Amino acid sequence: MENSDDDEDVSRTWENINENIQTSAKVSLDLDEFKQNKPWFDEECLGFLDQRKRAKIQWIQDPNQSNVR
């Protein structure tokens, strides 16, 4: 039972150290959480990008005139 208390103390200490390092890094590097700077980029844009990616892959696999369109 004595070892389990030591393990919990070590885990708790490590969590505190990790949290302090991350907080200090954010403050000293002036990092904020991820902010989306492009409000116009939405699910519709992602859909078009996915469609373009699939078309490009299809064209690479079979480069003929019908796949160009």
Side-chain angles (χ1 to χ4, degrees), residues 27-44:
V27 169
S28 65
L29 298 175
D30 195 29
L31 296 178
D32 291 328
E33 294 298 317
F34 176 73
K35 294 180 183 176
Q36 189 174 6
N37 294 329
K38 300 172 182 143
W40 53 266
F41 193 86
D42 57 3
E43 292 295 321
E44 184 180 12

Side-chain angles (χ1 to χ4, degrees), residues 14-65:
W14 172 247
E15 288 174 12
N16 287 337
I17 290 170
N18 191 16
E19 184 178 318
N20 287 334
I21 289 172
Q22 289 181 3
T23 302
S24 297
K26 285 180 182 179
V27 169
S28 65
L29 298 175
D30 195 29
L31 296 178
D32 291 328
E33 294 298 317
F34 176 73
K35 294 180 183 176
Q36 189 174 6
N37 294 329
K38 300 172 182 143
W40 53 266
F41 193 86
D42 57 3
E43 292 295 321
E44 184 180 12
C45 293
L46 286 173
F48 285 124
L49 285 177
D50 188 46
Q51 182 180 2
R52 178 178 179 256
K53 182 180 176 182
R54 284 182 283 151
K56 183 178 180 181
I57 290 171
Q58 184 179 7
W59 179 77
I60 289 171
Q61 291 174 349
D62 184 23
N64 61 36
Q65 193 60 28

